[in-house]
Amino acid sequence: MIISEMQSKLATWSTENEERKFDRLIRIIADRSWLSEAARITLTSSGARTPGVDGIDKRRMEAMLDLELETLRYELLTGNYCPQPARRVYIPKANGKLRPLGIPCLRDRIVQRAMLMVMEPIWESDFHPVSYGFRPARSVHHAIRTVKMQLQDGNEQTNSTAGRWVIEGDLASYFDTVHHRLLMKAVRKRISDQRFLSLLWKMIKSGCVDHGLFRASSEGVPQGGVISPLLSNIMLHEFDQWMEAKFLSKKVRKDRWAWNFGIQNKRPIAIRENRQWKPAISYCRYADDFVVVVKGTKAHAEVVREACREFLEVKLKLTLNMDKTHITHVNDGFTFLGYRIIRKRGSRGRMRPVSSIPWEKYRRFTEKLVKQLSGNYGMNRMDFVESLNRQLAGWANFYQYTDHTATIFSKVDRTVFWKLGYWLARKYKRGFRSLMREFVRSPEKGKAKIWILQGQNSRGFYGTLALRRLITSRKRWFTWRNPEENPYILRSEKRRTVESYFDEVAFALSNT
DNA sequence: CCTCTCATGAC
RNA sequence: CUUGUCAUGAGAGG
């Protein structure tokens, strides 16, 4: 079985028929090549060396892989497969609290990966265009760009009193509170294969082992499970659909326009019935984090928030954290997906949404670097600068589409410059000034000066190395993807041309 | 086209 | 001692 072709078929079928329920999926995931691909991905992931409760790590799994996959295949087809409980580990979160992880053992991760490989192509056709979390070909940047566009003044009609209010949705410990029966109900909308469904049921019911004690799971999906992100999207897709039907669809917008038009033109019936202006709504979701933009009054926003709360609580058995679900005016700014977004007056007097790096993120990053620069005196200097450069490059890369980075970037540059100077001075017991005279130079003519070191790194490479400056990091053009398209659907024509092209290249190379 | 290393970020 | 999904960048090799 060719995996990409099978996934393309599943994606096409679910796109073409939105009612279609898939049967005999267990036969696909029990396929030899399917399972071995799932195993390959699982074993090449960075967490593969961390075992589950059975203590089997990457090395041991690789040693008996063929036999293990045959066993899995047999157990899956006969329905004897039984997932083991996850190993519970607590890791600290940014806010100081602990995050409970459930680490399944490797064979369970392989099976979950096989399930993911079959489920994701199907649901990708269903998911809402403004849902961005955990989905292929979609990123934080797409979500941020979407929200910024929604905040732009434009086409949508507003009355003179309409402002823009933002609801920052926050679900209380979402992964741990997913309702099992409701989740299965959502899954059954697309899957009719009883064996597959009972496998999934066993999976979410398998519980965990905490401090050597087994604990059954009455609700929630394991944080650490391969399919958990997809399951969270399947559950919250119900919320997306409700939002779509209630606030976002073409029909709703048309009706709202007619309604507001009636009020605007002071139709007697509108006045007599004391009709209220209806606000325009837009919405964007990233996993359990979502933003609703209300073009109206704060009271309008409060009504919308209450409606969301009620739906989530009654229909999905999820609790919206009301303390953290703020309603803020766009001009006061809000935080979403690690960005601060605020509407400001632009150059030509027009209000424009801009994004910037939140102070807290800047502080955390420099703190991390300063901590490294206040120790590690035994480290090879070239290795150390290489490591710093990689971290600086990665950070700048994430914020490359942000609007006002210059001040923050130069602040980071300055602290790293000085702290690296002190680091060198202490390591080599030399004066700061003499080090500067010797090693602070311009990388090129006209460029600002920076530490330029030469020497040999631990891998034996000899050369010169300049400390990276964030301020010079370039901004690339942002590329959109088609939000309606299922990325699993292979475009046969394009694919053929690409394949033939690479066949020719391969042929040409093999002949030289 | 493939393999691998390292890094960043969101949740 | 830290799992998972997704995105992105840099580099090395075939």
Side-chain angles (χ1 to χ4, degrees), chain A residues 38-39 42-43 45 47-58 60-61 64-65 68 72 75 81-89 101-114 203 206-209 222-227:
Chain A
T42 305
L43 291 173
S45 76
R49 63 210 191 94
T50 309
V53 281
D54 61 359
I56 293 178
D57 61 355
K58 179 177 179 167
R60 274 174 66 189
M61 181 56 85
M64 57 178 188
L65 187 61
E68 192 63 30
L72 279 179
E75 289 182 3
Y81 176 76
C82 189
Q84 285 171 278
R87 185 165 61 91
R88 177 127 293 189
V89 169
L101 293 183
I103 302 169
C105 57
L106 278 172
R107 72 196 308 262
D108 291 338
R109 273 185 257 169
I110 292 170
V111 174
Q112 286 191 30
R113 170 57 75 166
M203 210 118 235
S206 58
C208 63
V209 174
Q223 304 201 34
V226 178
I227 41 170

Side-chain angles (χ1 to χ4, degrees), chain A residues 104-353:
Chain A
C105 57
L106 278 172
R107 72 196 308 262
D108 291 338
R109 273 185 257 169
I110 292 170
V111 174
Q112 286 191 30
R113 170 57 75 166
M115 293 166 78
L116 178 70
M117 282 160 54
V118 78
M119 288 169 80
E120 198 169 51
I122 296 170
W123 265 278
E124 263 304 304
S125 302
D126 292 349
F127 287 154
H128 200 280
V130 296
S131 158
Y132 287 95
F134 309 134
R135 290 182 58 188
R138 281 155 182 264
S139 71
V140 172
H141 306 295
H142 297 195
I144 292 292
R145 189 55 68 97
T146 302
V147 171
K148 282 173 80 173
M149 278 168 62
Q150 290 170 349
L151 289 170
Q152 203 103 14
D153 287 317
N155 38 29
E156 188 81 51
Q157 48 146 2
T158 49
N159 73 356
S160 55
T161 62
R164 287 183 193 207
W165 295 91
V166 176
I167 307 170
E168 297 168 71
D170 183 278
L171 291 164
S173 52
Y174 171 64
F175 267 63
D176 302 328
T177 58
V178 173
H179 193 278
H180 285 171
R181 272 184 33 247
L182 287 172
L183 174 65
M184 291 306 287
K185 194 179 156 196
V187 170
R188 270 196 292 272
K189 289 181 180 172
R190 274 305 196 180
I191 291 177
S192 58
D193 184 343
Q194 284 308 319
R195 284 190 291 177
F196 193 95
L197 290 167
S198 81
L199 172 61
L200 183 63
W201 182 252
K202 278 192 261 181
M203 210 118 235
I204 58 179
K205 281 291 177 199
S206 58
C208 63
V209 174
D210 191 356
H211 296 298
L213 277 171
F214 173 76
R215 197 182 293 187
S217 56
S218 57
E219 59 186 11
V221 290
Q223 304 201 34
V226 178
I227 41 170
S228 299
L230 177 69
L231 295 178
S232 86
N233 268 338
I234 290 175
M235 191 83 237
L236 287 180
H237 175 57
E238 303 293 313
F239 181 54
D240 295 346
Q241 281 180 308
W242 176 79
M243 285 294 289
E244 174 69 20
K246 194 159 170 66
F247 299 118
L248 311 173
S249 72
K250 265 227 156 62
K251 185 187 179 308
V252 171
R253 280 187 298 184
K254 230 178 102 186
D255 291 352
R256 181 175 58 228
W257 189 87
W259 177 282
N260 289 346
F261 189 76
I263 296 171
Q264 196 170 27
N265 288 9
K266 300 195 167 38
R267 294 242 175 90
I269 184 161
I271 303 296
R272 192 165 61 243
E273 295 181 7
N274 191 21
R275 288 194 186 168
Q276 294 288 301
W277 181 277
K278 285 188 179 178
I281 310 279
S282 52
Y283 165 67
C284 180
R285 184 172 68 81
Y286 192 101
D288 59 339
D289 216 345
F290 64 90
V291 160
V292 183
V293 179
V294 181
K295 296 166 190 173
T297 63
K298 191 172 185 182
H300 281 138
E302 274 159 6
V303 171
V304 173
R305 178 174 67 175
E306 178 54 25
C308 291
R309 190 201 61 76
E310 196 198 322
F311 177 84
L312 288 165
E313 204 152 291
V314 174
K315 300 288 182 181
L316 300 185
K317 298 273 180 269
L318 294 168
T319 47
L320 195 58
N321 196 337
M322 293 308 270
D323 298 336
K324 288 187 185 167
T325 306
H326 305 289
I327 296 178
T328 46
H329 195 270
V330 206
N331 297 0
D332 294 334
F334 61 99
T335 304
F336 184 50
L337 307 181
Y339 285 85
R340 175 154 189 83
I341 301 175
I342 188 165
R343 196 169 62 163
K344 282 188 169 157
R345 195 164 296 283
S347 51
R348 275 183 292 283
R350 271 173 67 88
M351 295 302 273
R352 204 168 69 85

Side-chain angles (χ1 to χ4, degrees), chain A residues 59-70:
Chain A
R59 189 167 284 245
R60 274 174 66 189
M61 181 56 85
E62 272 171 345
M64 57 178 188
L65 187 61
D66 290 341
L67 180 67
E68 192 63 30
L69 291 187
E70 278 306 311

